[in-house]
Amino acid sequence: MNSEEHAGLWAAYLDTVIEFSDPDGCRWRLRARAADESGAAVAPEFLRSDFVAWVITAWNPESELVTAERNAAAHEELLADLEAASLLALPAVGMSSDRKWSEDSLLVVGAAREWVLGVAAKYRQNAVFRWSPEAFEVVGALLPGEALRAWVCEPI
């Protein structure tokens, strides 16, 4: 991958919108806050004030499209990995802001960074998302780099 392709993927990751369901089944939308956007960053009540949540997928390794069957099988394997690690995993979808690209994902609460990056490498993911009270971050797994943004989370 050349640097231009890397930059294009990274820009797409920074533009990702995450929709997820909380333990009560309420739906939420998480996204990076626009530079000119104001307002408080308010997290759903099920998260503690010092939370760290990760968004991870097993779909489309290295951002290359694969069949629906391969994506479904990889997602089931990822669910088994999370269950074996006794981690809270909530259904999520990561999508481009124009909704032309989407991937089934999981919002994982309480996982260690090393564990998440190891699982991301296992499923050949270029990057994962880390969400905390301080920032919404893209964290490189196979691709180098990290980028932080302020965030907005709202019920949908």
Side-chain angles (χ1 to χ4, degrees), residues 43-54:
E45 289 184 16
F46 78 94
L47 295 168
R48 297 182 349 203
S49 62
D50 62 345
F51 73 93
V52 173
W54 297 87

Side-chain angles (χ1 to χ4, degrees), residues 61-134:
E62 298 179 40
S63 294
E64 296 294 328
L65 286 174
V66 300
T67 66
E69 294 79 15
R70 283 184 61 195
N71 280 333
H75 187 77
E76 289 302 314
E77 190 177 336
L78 175 58
L79 281 168
D81 288 343
L82 290 160
E83 185 176 325
S86 299
L87 291 167
L88 173 62
L90 301 169
V93 176
M95 65 190 81
S96 60
S97 59
D98 64 8
R99 308 291 197 264
K100 290 182 179 178
W101 178 279
S102 68
E103 297 184 350
D104 283 354
S105 303
L106 296 162
L107 182 96
V108 180
V109 180
R113 179 186 185 95
E114 298 76 23
W115 188 89
V116 171
L117 293 178
V119 168
K122 175 182 177 180
Y123 294 99
R124 297 180 24 238
Q125 297 299 306
N126 289 329
V128 295
F129 297 94
R130 180 182 183 274
W131 177 32
S132 70
E134 295 78 32

